[in-house]
Amino acid sequence: IYLAALLGNGLILTAVACDDRLHTPMYFFLFNLAFLDLGTITTTVPKAMANSLWDTRACSYSGCAAQFFFFLFFISAEFYILTIMAYDRYVAVCKPLHYGTIMTSRTCVNMAAAAWGSGFLHAVMHTANTFSLPFCKGNALDQFFCEISQILKLSCSDAYLREVGLLMFSVAVASGCFVFLVLSYVQIFRVVLKIATHQGMFKAFSTCLPHLVVVSLFLSTAFFAYLKPPSGSSSSMNLLLAVLYSVMPPAVNPLIYSMRNKELEDAI
């Protein structure tokens, strides 16, 4: 899976960077998404593979904190970019005559910078708060990377409620983004069903539905992983959920966004 993610996202990064025909807002955001996908999966999987090959389960405290920070940074920024991509498609389909004036180069760069900046602030906030807690319940995490819910289980202070509050705030922000994303696609489908040909309708649905499936899978598994009752979870279920929201999307996204995309295929 890791090699597939490296190959798929690497091809997208190379194609968009080297082909002038792909220097458009849609592919600019796709470039950002591919970069974030590489960062997300590289933060967690190589360390797990190294531990497996060397038959060890060790991870230093500073290494765990770094992994925790970068994973939150990349995955938060990725979800914001996905939301921006939905807005880009909304403008392209619902306001095509104004697309050039709305989605200018400056606007696209500002939105991408806001996504990266928001992800960075989100990661700093959670990392500083989580690793300032006292830990006295051992040093073993029941996960293949330093996941926030597993780290909180080691805390022996009521201060962990502070982190739970931050977590609920993050869930609320993610839910708002998801609602905005869904509403964007509802508007897109309404326009497509009214004015498009059957071929155009099929193309719109085949492009939008996989995107919504990936986002829905990511959010549902992440919400369940963090909000489920601690007593009702098994090690295998925790591992499966973590793989679904942290490993599979970076590998699957390149397939989804290159499928039936003639411009990207020609560039590659």
Side-chain angles (χ1 to χ4, degrees), residues 79 82-83 86 176-185 211-212 215:
F79 187 58
L82 285 171
T83 306
C177 290
F178 183 66
V179 169
F180 177 83
L181 190 149
V182 171
L183 290 176
S184 298
Y185 277 116
H211 181 200
L212 286 176
V215 175

Side-chain angles (χ1 to χ4, degrees), residues 41-222:
I41 198 168
T42 300
T43 301
T44 58
V45 174
K47 177 62 178 176
M49 290 193 298
N51 281 350
S52 177
L53 290 171
W54 296 333
D55 195 24
T56 178
R57 294 176 179 269
C59 182
S60 67
Y61 183 83
S62 57
C64 182
Q67 188 181 63
F68 182 92
F69 169 79
F70 282 110
F71 179 75
L72 280 179
F73 172 40
F74 286 126
I75 210 163
S76 301
E78 178 173 341
F79 187 58
Y80 298 142
I81 287 290
L82 285 171
T83 306
I84 293 171
M85 291 175 75
Y87 175 71
D88 173 68
R89 291 299 84 203
Y90 162 75
V91 176
V93 174
C94 301
K95 300 182 179 180
L97 297 180
H98 300 282
Y99 184 77
T101 56
I102 296 175
M103 302 301 292
T104 62
S105 298
R106 185 183 182 87
T107 301
C108 292
V109 170
N110 287 341
M111 287 195 292
W116 285 80
S118 299
F120 179 81
L121 290 175
H122 179 258
V124 167
M125 182 173 61
H126 280 287
T127 305
N129 194 56
T130 299
F131 284 88
S132 65
L133 299 175
F135 301 108
C136 62
K137 296 181 180 178
N139 60 353
L141 300 176
D142 189 21
Q143 193 53 271
F144 69 96
F145 67 100
C146 291
E147 188 185 38
I148 185 170
S149 59
Q150 296 295 325
I151 294 176
L152 289 180
K153 290 180 180 179
L154 305 182
S155 173
C156 55
S157 168
D158 290 338
Y160 80 92
L161 292 174
R162 216 173 28 178
E163 179 59 27
V164 172
L166 283 176
L167 204 57
M168 295 304 295
F169 173 75
S170 301
V171 168
V173 172
S175 300
C177 290
F178 183 66
V179 169
F180 177 83
L181 190 149
V182 171
L183 290 176
S184 298
Y185 277 116
V186 167
Q187 294 298 320
I188 290 173
F189 290 150
R190 286 179 61 185
V191 171
V192 169
L193 289 173
K194 285 180 180 178
I195 64 174
T197 61
H198 289 294
Q199 184 179 2
M201 289 169 56
F202 176 76
K203 183 178 181 180
F205 279 109
S206 64
T207 302
C208 299
L209 285 178
H211 181 200
L212 286 176
V213 168
V214 168
V215 175
S216 301
L217 176 66
F218 165 76
L219 276 183
S220 59
T221 51

